[in-house]
Amino acid sequence: MHRNVFFISDGTGITAESFGQSLLAQFTSPEFRHVTLPYVDTVKKAEQALELIDQSRENGQTQPILFMTVLNEEVSSMMHASGAYVIDLFQAFLPGLERQFGQHPLYQAGQKRSTQSNNSYHRRIEAVQFALDNDDGCRTRSYDKADIILLGVSRSGKTPTCIYLGLQFGIYAANYPITEEDLESGTQLPKSLEPHRHKLFGLTIHPGRLAGIRHERKPNSRYASRQQCQFEVANVEQMYRQERIPSINSTDYSVEEIATRIMALTELERRLK
Amino acid sequence: MHRNVFFISDGTGITAESFGQSLLAQFTSPEFRHVTLPYVDTVKKAEQALELIDQSRENGQTQPILFMTVLNEEVSSMMHASGAYVIDLFQAFLPGLERQFGQHPLYQAGQKRSTQSNNSYHRRIEAVQFALDNDDGCRTRSYDKADIILLGVSRSGKTPTCIYLGLQFGIYAANYPITEEDLESGTQLPKSLEPHRHKLFGLTIHPGRLAGIRHERKPNSRYASRQQCQFEVANVEQMYRQERIPSINSTDYSVEEIATRIMALTELERRLK
């Protein structure tokens, strides 16, 4: 027996979805089936949403759960009358904040971005572009401009982490892949990284997991073999210890978690206000 | 007079921050100063957080606002006793859900990821990699595998949007830059895109904004000139109309909004469960 869950918003729905999933993750059962409906900002779209909610109750399903971030008052009332168990994220807190600030909320969707300056928008885009331009160690000359340089063996999660550091925090993150050649000559730091020692941060990963990821790219290759992954991981971890490079094991974390933990561990300052 | 705002979590704090900013954006004043404290998961870290909260009240500042997603009960009580105006996101909704599901919440941080399968993790990483491998039209042969192909002139937001489509929705998004050469021979669709017509989606942008963005990359270049930007934007928009390619103007939207609106407009299905 599963339970139907709706994330409904008159904006992107990203907040409703992300927060709703955090709440649901605190319960081991029932099984949840999710539907996200963004930009429900007119009566017509609200009617379509209500139809989907109604349909989900057929076949003897129990009451659906509805997480909503809806500021449009008409849409909001329609959702409250849907018969679903409604978790209204705005209504729960806006009245309290209204008293705190002594003013009425705007009740306007899409306000979030406008609180951010144009500068902050540019910084994010430039930081993502920096991550792309400085991916996989091709251009070490930009390292002067980098806030951080991630090290790690191939497929240990450097690239997505660099991009997320740019997108979420406006951090200029470069990365340098530690190759087999780097490791064959010993576990000392590659020469080109020496001048940037204070910016280095290492990623590591469980060798079995690494083999699985590499196997999807190049099935049955030497590159994806367990033996090769064990060799590379053992040696790169030895390099981090020997050269005192702070590091994190990415095996059990999502990209968001890896990036946020790096921010916390390095005390890098967020570049977005 | 500003108001100090804390986002405190025993996880990444991303939910507290994102949701808290949505709420605050509904008020035009006072000015808010934000601090995010992730991974506050021990009494010691909670004490450090309390110190920061206390400091913020000095100099006659008014009561700070504290948005928290904290599951650790000890940390949670300490925050409630901080004297700040506390918005406790979990406590507001978990008791209601507890009654709905007839079971106690786990009260364990970091549960979110574990509700996602390993498959979904791989899909995200592979989708981000796909966006990178198929950036700027170098490899049109992978277009068969793409879920969507974004078109647009240089610096109209294709790359970050493709990456975000991968990261957030698991969508394989390629992009093809419409160059000056493409446009000089007229506004018909470039030949290599013909077979993929049903996957095409256009981005456009206000010419003045485009000139500003290009100017940051190549100051005072012809590329960044207002005239050049106007020429390219007018012609690419003509191409979209003539070839009936759906499109969106990215000028006033964040990357998240552009990506979510594209998902809604194209009815692309999310690949992550």
Side-chain angles (χ1 to χ4, degrees):
Chain A
M1 183 72 146
H2 69 268
R3 195 79 177 248
N4 290 302
V5 177
F6 292 86
F7 303 113
I8 293 185
S9 176
D10 48 8
T12 62
I14 293 171
T15 298
E17 191 177 88
S18 149
F19 179 53
Q21 285 182 336
S22 298
L23 283 172
L24 295 180
Q26 294 300 315
F27 299 91
T28 50
S29 64
E31 186 201 332
F32 299 111
R33 296 203 186 153
H34 308 148
V35 178
T36 304
L37 303 175
Y39 303 113
V40 181
D41 49 8
T42 61
V43 168
K44 193 175 159 208
K45 288 190 194 163
E47 279 165 358
Q48 290 165 347
L50 287 180
E51 250 174 68
L52 288 174
I53 296 170
D54 278 348
Q55 280 167 22
S56 81
R57 300 198 68 165
E58 286 166 18
N59 311 316
Q61 283 304 320
T62 48
Q63 192 182 19
I65 311 282
L66 195 168
F67 291 91
M68 68 181 227
T69 50
V70 171
L71 288 157
N72 180 306
E73 293 181 66
E74 222 166 348
V75 172
S76 176
S77 328
M78 289 170 73
M79 293 303 132
H80 276 286
S82 66
Y85 180 76
V86 175
I87 293 192
D88 184 335
L89 297 182
F90 284 134
Q91 211 40 58
F93 302 114
L94 281 179
L97 288 173
E98 180 170 350
R99 285 189 296 274
Q100 274 287 316
F101 304 138
Q103 65 180 286
H104 290 297
L106 300 172
Y107 285 108
Q108 282 170 17
Q111 286 298 310
K112 196 169 158 193
R113 197 196 58 82
S114 63
T115 62
Q116 293 167 4
S117 64
N118 245 331
N119 278 346
S120 148
Y121 179 82
H122 274 141
R123 175 82 201 187
R124 288 180 80 184
I125 301 298
E126 287 300 318
V128 169
Q129 196 62 52
F130 185 89
L132 300 180
D133 292 345
N134 295 280
D135 190 37
D136 277 352
C138 2
R139 291 205 230 169
T140 54
R141 64 191 155 85
S142 300
Y143 283 5
D144 286 337
K145 212 181 158 192
D147 294 312
I148 189 169
I149 303 162
L150 296 190
L151 311 183
V153 302
S154 167
R155 307 296 288 169
S156 55
K158 299 181 299 299
T159 301
T161 306
C162 284
I163 291 170
Y164 194 80
L165 284 168
L167 196 63
Q168 182 73 14
F169 303 118
I171 293 290
Y172 281 26
N175 77 69
Y176 182 98
I178 303 292
T179 62
E180 198 178 355
E181 292 71 51
D182 286 324
L183 296 171
E184 269 169 354
S185 57
T187 54
Q188 66 277 28
L189 203 62
K191 278 270 179 303
S192 57
L193 295 175
E194 268 300 344
H196 310 284
R197 187 173 271 276
H198 59 293
K199 293 182 183 178
L200 304 180
F201 194 95
L203 289 185
T204 186
I205 185 171
H206 188 277
R209 175 69 173 275
L210 182 62
I213 295 170
R214 288 183 171 187
H215 187 76
E216 289 200 11
R217 283 236 127 182
K218 298 190 186 169
N220 304 314
S221 60
R222 175 166 167 280
Y223 166 79
S225 71
R226 217 175 156 97
Q227 198 186 358
Q228 179 66 17
C229 292
Q230 271 164 351
F231 166 80
E232 290 185 27
V233 169
N235 280 279
V236 87
E237 290 182 355
Q238 169 64 19
M239 178 191 291
Y240 298 156
R241 275 192 301 271
Q242 178 184 320
E243 304 281 353
R244 302 187 183 202
I245 296 164
S247 69
I248 194 173
N249 188 317
S250 68
T251 313
D252 292 324
Y253 297 136
S254 67
V255 177
E256 291 88 338
E257 284 172 309
I258 300 167
T260 312
R261 283 178 188 270
I262 290 173
M263 293 297 290
L265 288 167
T266 57
E267 299 185 339
L268 269 177
E269 219 174 293
R270 291 158 190 245
R271 306 290 183 167
L272 304 176
K273 292 295 157 195
Chain B
M1 183 71 145
H2 69 268
R3 195 79 177 248
N4 290 301
V5 177
F6 292 87
F7 303 113
I8 294 186
S9 175
D10 49 6
T12 63
I14 293 170
T15 299
E17 192 177 88
S18 149
F19 179 53
Q21 286 183 337
S22 298
L23 283 171
L24 295 178
Q26 294 301 315
F27 299 92
T28 51
S29 66
E31 186 201 332
F32 299 112
R33 298 204 184 152
H34 308 147
V35 179
T36 304
L37 304 175
Y39 303 114
V40 181
D41 50 8
T42 61
V43 169
K44 194 176 159 208
K45 288 189 195 161
E47 281 165 357
Q48 290 165 346
L50 288 179
E51 251 173 68
L52 287 174
I53 295 170
D54 278 348
Q55 279 167 23
S56 80
R57 301 198 66 166
E58 287 165 17
N59 311 317
Q61 284 303 321
T62 49
Q63 192 182 20
I65 311 282
L66 195 166
F67 291 92
M68 67 181 225
T69 48
V70 171
L71 288 156
N72 179 307
E73 293 181 64
E74 224 166 345
V75 172
S76 176
S77 329
M78 289 170 73
M79 293 304 131
H80 276 285
S82 67
Y85 179 75
V86 176
I87 293 193
D88 184 334
L89 298 181
F90 285 133
Q91 211 41 57
F93 302 114
L94 281 179
L97 288 173
E98 181 169 349
R99 285 189 296 274
Q100 274 288 316
F101 304 139
Q103 64 178 286
H104 290 297
L106 299 172
Y107 284 108
Q108 282 170 18
Q111 286 298 310
K112 195 167 157 195
R113 197 196 59 82
S114 63
T115 62
Q116 293 168 2
S117 64
N118 246 331
N119 278 347
S120 147
Y121 178 83
H122 274 141
R123 174 83 200 187
R124 288 180 80 183
I125 301 297
E126 288 301 318
V128 169
Q129 196 61 52
F130 185 88
L132 301 181
D133 292 346
N134 294 282
D135 191 35
D136 277 350
C138 2
R139 291 204 230 171
T140 54
R141 65 190 155 87
S142 302
Y143 283 5
D144 286 335
K145 212 181 156 191
D147 295 311
I148 189 169
I149 302 162
L150 296 190
L151 311 183
V153 302
S154 168
R155 307 298 286 170
S156 54
K158 298 181 299 300
T159 301
T161 305
C162 285
I163 290 171
Y164 194 81
L165 284 167
L167 196 63
Q168 184 72 15
F169 303 118
I171 293 291
Y172 281 26
N175 78 70
Y176 182 97
I178 303 291
T179 62
E180 198 177 354
E181 291 73 51
D182 286 324
L183 296 171
E184 270 169 353
S185 57
T187 54
Q188 65 277 27
L189 202 62
K191 279 270 178 303
S192 58
L193 295 175
E194 269 299 346
H196 311 284
R197 186 172 270 280
H198 59 293
K199 294 183 182 176
L200 303 180
F201 193 96
L203 289 185
T204 186
I205 184 170
H206 187 277
R209 176 68 173 275
L210 181 63
I213 295 171
R214 288 183 171 186
H215 187 75
E216 289 200 13
R217 283 237 128 183
K218 296 190 186 169
N220 304 315
S221 59
R222 174 166 167 282
Y223 166 79
S225 72
R226 218 175 155 99
Q227 198 186 0
Q228 179 66 16
C229 292
Q230 271 163 351
F231 165 79
E232 291 185 27
V233 169
N235 280 279
V236 86
E237 289 181 355
Q238 169 64 18
M239 178 191 291
Y240 299 158
R241 274 192 301 272
Q242 177 184 320
E243 305 281 352
R244 303 191 182 198
I245 296 164
S247 69
I248 193 172
N249 188 318
S250 69
T251 312
D252 292 324
Y253 297 136
S254 67
V255 178
E256 291 86 338
E257 283 171 310
I258 300 166
T260 312
R261 283 179 188 271
I262 290 173
M263 293 296 291
L265 289 167
T266 56
E267 298 185 341
L268 268 176
E269 220 174 292
R270 291 158 189 242
R271 306 290 183 167
L272 303 177
K273 293 295 159 195

